[in-house]
Amino acid sequence: MPSIEPPRATAPTATPTSTSTPESTLETDYLVIGSGLAGLTFALSASEHGRVLIVTKRAPSDSNTNWAQGGVAGVLDPADTPEKHIADTLRVGDGLCHRDIVEGCVREASGQILRFADDIGVPFDRDDSGRFELGREGGHTARRIVHVKDTTGAAIQTALLNRVAEHPDRIQMLPDHMAIDLLTTAKYGGPNAVFGAYVLDQHTGLVRTIVARAVVLATGGAGKVYLYTTNPDVATGDGIAMAYRVGARVGNMEFFQFHPTCLYHPLAKSFLISEALRGEGGILRLRDGTAFMPRYSDMKDLAPRDIVARAIDAEMKRTGDDHVVLDMTHLRPDFLVERFPMIHQRCLELGIDMRKTPIPVVPAAHYSCGGVVVDDRGRTNVPNLYAVGEVSMTGLHGACRLASNSLLEAMVFGARAADDVRTARVERPANVMPWYAGEATSSDEAVVVSQNWDEIRRLMWNYVGIVRTNRRLARAKHRIDLIRNEIRDYYWNVLVTGDLIELRNIALVADLIIESAIRRRESRGLHYTLDYPEKDPLQQHDTILARGDGPVA
Ligand code: SIN
């Protein structure tokens, strides 16, 4: 019988407790971890054939979805065609998209958008005759982005949460509950299958054992692995780390997308300046007013993100400036206020009137194109474990994601997984071990968490950022090995907190990104290295990592 993992411990924020009690065990059909677009889409559909329990580590609306500004890509204009959307996705994905997945998502897009508009109640912007107003973003050769002004994600999130709240009998939500690890039958001597998770109630410090027929990872992205990011604080790669620890395959982690335009301001943390601004005619300029994108691409300011972010990085290094600017001042002032009310308001609060002054911007980590490898139904290689949304790698994005394809992917795969999961069956152990704290004690050295957290994010930014080299990656690997050893040691001996769980996860995700980047000895899509500046046709394949196969433990 394989060894059972040693006990873990929790550090309660309120009442101290060190072991699970029978009352802390919950049972459901489907356990969803995460409450963004993908998880809620799954929950709504799956609740038609089973009980759903959603755990989410902060408030239900704390998700990457809620921060999405741009919109959802889909062919809705008679002058556009699915073939063009497919071609754009494949071109930007730079040889690594899975064509069948791209074709499926693109062809399902218009149906999903209509479903979200009509059934879920998302108030996408329409013109006077009721047709969707379509925006444009980088890499797209047509206007095809449906949106709700510049707060599309928040509108989708609100509509979904409203629908979920209509079914309290079938969908239960546990906010402030953070998944620690997945439960697998392999720990009990059986073949590897998932049957639930240990989840920390961050109010009481109690660890619940949640048993389910299937677990759906919908934990979103991992932008917090980098020092500068457009992502909210919750984006710590939890699902990728949990899945990897139980033997799920993780793919293409080297392809981390940097959004070209994050607001550059000392008081603004992670504030995105949507690509839709360039879609409406915004021009990137140096601080002296020179427009530089024509030197980098025929598509100028609407080139794919990898090209624009690298161009900005190169110009900042060349000029020594700490930012560039996005100029909107040539556009009609009333149009800017009407189309981008939230961005306009936030910029005004910070003393920037985009109608009169160019907006200072820098690139920042935005989206993980890699993730837990899934098939066309959202299934991982571990039975009863699904992954949907940014946490997953479906093959849609390849080496670089086309703008606004991610919300589309979350809609499509949330629905597909909900359809597939009805067949999930699990032979779970008769007696599930409750969480046991062992000898762990409360930490008197919280500084270990903050020190390692800062160090990981800084080393990832400096060594594993927009432009990479062998030496920088080797340095990063050396550092992350030391940090992970220190975290392991600490983790086993103290009562865990939400912060410690996130640190453990982000450190593993950083390691997976570094290892994947080391393995790719070419430049392709979002992975650019000075040591191998060209694309190598022999490396036109995914980078797949699985625990036990390589150097990431
Ligand atoms: C944006 O509004 O620029 C973000 C859209 C996306 O990441 O797809």
Side-chain angles (χ1 to χ4, degrees), residues 511-530:
D511 202 352
L512 292 168
I513 295 172
I514 296 164
E515 179 60 29
S516 304
I518 288 172
R519 288 185 186 201
R520 187 164 292 281
R521 291 164 184 247
E522 62 162 351
S523 289
R524 180 188 294 276
L526 296 157
H527 175 71
Y528 182 75
T529 162
L530 296 176

Side-chain angles (χ1 to χ4, degrees), residues 215-454:
V215 175
V216 181
L217 298 171
T219 50
K224 295 298 284 189
V225 79
Y226 284 99
L227 190 57
Y228 303 110
T229 177
T230 62
N231 289 184
D233 287 347
V234 291
T236 54
D238 304 325
I240 296 171
M242 282 188 285
Y244 185 80
R245 285 197 287 268
V246 299
R249 295 175 344 132
V250 166
N252 287 354
M253 293 297 291
E254 67 273 40
F255 298 116
F256 212 103
Q257 185 166 69
F258 291 80
H259 196 292
T261 57
C262 183
L263 181 63
Y264 179 77
H265 191 283
L267 300 181
K269 191 179 148 213
S270 306
F271 188 69
L272 179 69
I273 302 295
S274 175
E275 198 157 289
L277 273 76
R278 278 176 284 131
E280 298 299 346
I283 298 172
L284 285 163
R285 299 186 189 278
L286 298 178
R287 292 177 69 186
D288 69 7
T290 313
F292 55 89
M293 277 315 297
R295 283 194 278 114
Y296 289 89
S297 167
D298 291 345
M299 292 182 84
K300 301 180 191 159
D301 298 274
L302 283 179
R305 280 188 195 160
D306 54 333
I307 295 171
V308 184
R310 267 202 302 280
I312 296 174
D313 187 67
E315 289 300 319
M316 282 167 50
K317 287 198 170 102
R318 189 180 65 75
T319 58
D321 287 344
D322 47 13
H323 66 275
V324 296
V325 295
L326 180 62
D327 186 4
M328 306 296 292
T329 57
H330 53 290
L331 295 166
R332 265 191 16 249
D334 56 338
F335 167 74
L336 291 178
V337 176
E338 154 70 16
R339 174 70 177 85
F340 304 111
M342 191 269 293
I343 295 173
H344 172 60
Q345 185 54 38
R346 183 74 186 117
C347 285
L348 265 191
E349 285 162 14
L350 296 165
I352 304 159
D353 184 343
M354 70 160 135
R355 295 168 298 185
K356 300 180 185 147
T357 320
I359 308 167
V361 291
V362 284
H366 182 61
Y367 188 89
S368 173
C369 292
V372 183
V373 178
V374 295
D375 66 9
D376 63 348
R377 317 294 301 163
R379 291 179 291 216
T380 72
N381 59 306
V382 179
N384 306 322
L385 180 63
Y386 291 72
V388 291
E390 187 173 347
V391 64
S392 68
M393 189 208 105
T394 63
L396 176 64
H397 309 311
C400 182
R401 176 179 65 98
L402 183 66
S404 289
N405 266 356
S406 43
L407 294 184
L408 168 62
E409 181 189 52
M411 290 175 172
V412 168
F413 276 82
R416 287 187 186 182
D419 185 47
D420 189 83
V421 77
R422 62 179 86 222
T423 60
R425 292 280 171 274
V426 66
E427 297 290 324
R428 66 162 194 258
N431 291 310
V432 180
M433 279 185 305
W435 183 265
Y436 174 61
E439 303 303 315
T441 56
S442 273
S443 165
D444 57 0
E445 277 198 278
V447 68
V448 174
V449 174
S450 56
Q451 165 65 29
N452 282 316
W453 182 261
D454 290 347

Side-chain angles (χ1 to χ4, degrees), residues 63-138:
S63 68
N64 263 0
T65 299
N66 208 25
W67 285 34
Q69 296 179 359
V72 190
V75 174
L76 292 149
D77 178 352
D80 192 11
T81 64
E83 286 67 34
K84 285 193 206 160
H85 188 180
I86 291 166
D88 290 347
T89 304
L90 295 174
R91 189 186 62 258
V92 172
D94 212 4
L96 291 191
C97 295
H98 299 190
R99 180 179 266 277
D100 56 331
I101 297 294
V102 175
E103 290 184 352
C105 285
V106 166
R107 294 192 196 286
E108 281 177 47
S110 54
Q112 285 293 349
I113 290 167
L114 291 173
R115 186 171 83 86
F116 270 75
D118 298 341
D119 301 347
I120 308 288
V122 181
F124 292 120
D125 292 348
R126 297 177 190 254
D127 62 19
D128 292 342
S129 54
R131 281 189 299 256
F132 291 116
E133 275 180 10
L134 299 174
R136 191 162 166 205
E137 290 178 6

